[in-house]
């Protein structure tokens, strides 16, 4: 039985990855950030399963800023594979919490790499990097050799973690991989990310519990996929013979406005009657031309996204309606 260690297991990606690995007969050890230990909604079904919880799934409360709190479960677990997903992952908030973002997202990654290197038998290491490392790139689509040129504090912190992962691979011989993940969504997305914010608001408006949806820049464009496809990519990346970096993306661009329209259409409401924009949700800088080329992941790992943008938004709206009993 293989053992996996996941940081950020309570998040969208962490919870889907835990399910995937449990289904592959892994023993899964997951770190939940100490300050958010109460918020494990994404893991409720696994915690409620007596065949799984504390049998093949083990959870620990720890903090990337506190090395000892991570080291103890990491050494106990002695994993074959580490999936490092934890971070301060909200780009907008990274402008308010610049130092905190760099400490958790940047230094936290370095700390974990260093601990990994010192384990008696170094496990394989996956770092969840981000399309934000490219900033507003001059070439489209972006791939593994697109220059790193972040324009947000979050992007800079991820760039540091990405480069450190490469340095530990080249200099210390660690099987360390960056998955350069473009946006990926699901019903488990945090509520302050735009896709979930929209789908949730649409359901609330349909239920008569909310009057309007207030957004930032609705012309902003992203390459949006589904989280389940991306966690499958993470696993595949660690099964390959040699460690490499991979872009995971759909190669298709949509606007925030496209999510708005799809979500309102799904409940037979006219978006323009309920949506307005407000300055507080605009970002000081926001990457443009973000679209990924996942040809390398496709060629080497046989990875390709299976769930479309339209299916993802439809699933998210359905989930929100069900949660409200509409
Ligand atoms: N959150 C949010 N809220 N975003 C808004 C809003 C709003 O009200 N209105 C417009 N947007 C725009 C943002 O300015 C951005 O251009 C786009 O919607 C997507 O924003 P988010 O959903 O917050 O995601 P992100 O692109 O900033 O970052 C996500 O994707 C990265 C790449 O995969 C996060 O998951 C990052 O952690 C991840 O690295």
């Amino acid at each position: 039985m293989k053992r996996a260690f996941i940081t950020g297991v309570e998040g969208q990606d962490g919870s889907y990855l835990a399910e995937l690995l449990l289904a592959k007969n892994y023993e899964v050890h997951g770190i939940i950030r100490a300050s958010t230990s109460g918020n494990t909604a994404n893991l409720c079904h696994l915690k409620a399963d007596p065949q799984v919880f504390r049998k093949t799934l083990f959870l620990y409360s720890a903090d990337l800023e506190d090395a000892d709190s991570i080291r103890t479960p990491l050494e106990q677990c002695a994993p074959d594979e580490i999936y490092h997903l934890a971070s301060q992952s909200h780009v907008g908030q990274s402008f308010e919490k610049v130092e905190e973002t760099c400490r958790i997202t940047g230094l936290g990654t370095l700390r974990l790499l260093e601990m990994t290197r010192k384990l008696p038998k170094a496990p394989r290491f996956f770092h969840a990097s981000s399309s934000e490392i490219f900033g507003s790139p001059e070439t489209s689509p972006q791939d593994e050799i697109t220059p790193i040129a972040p324009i947000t504090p979050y992007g800079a912190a991820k760039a540091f973690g990405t480069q450190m992962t490469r340095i530990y691979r080249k200099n210390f011989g660690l099987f360390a991989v960056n998955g350069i993940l473009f946006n990926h969504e699901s019903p488990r997305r945090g509520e302050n990310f735009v896709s979930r914010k929209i789908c949730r608001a649409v359901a609330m408006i349909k239920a008569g519990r909310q009057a309007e949806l207030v957004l930032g820049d609705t012309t902003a464009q992203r390459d949006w996929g589904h989280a389940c496809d991306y966690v499958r990519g993470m696993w595949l990346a660690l099964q390959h013979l040699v460690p490499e970096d991979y872009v995971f993306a759909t190669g298709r661009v949509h606007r925030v406005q496209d999510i708005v329209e799809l979500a309102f259409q799904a409940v037979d409401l006219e978006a323009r009657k309920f949506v307005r924009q407000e300055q507080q949700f605009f970002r000081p800088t926001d990457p443009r031309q973000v679209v990924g080329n996942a040809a390398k992941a496709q060629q080497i790992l046989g990875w390709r996204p299976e769930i479309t943008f339209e299916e993802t938004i439809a699933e998210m709206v359905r989930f929100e309606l069900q949660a409200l009993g509409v």
Side-chain angles (χ1 to χ4, degrees), residues 89-92 129-132 154 181-185 189 192-195 197 214-218 220-222 224 256 281 283 286:
S89 63
H90 197 278
V91 180
S129 179
S130 163
S131 54
E132 282 280 320
Y154 168 85
L181 307 168
F182 284 61
N183 296 50
H184 47 285
E185 318 300 306
R189 192 54 147 145
N192 53 359
F193 294 92
V194 80
S195 64
K197 180 177 171 181
V214 187
L215 291 169
D217 184 2
T218 54
Q221 300 184 335
R222 289 287 186 278
W224 275 290
V256 170
F281 296 112
R283 300 191 178 157
D286 203 0

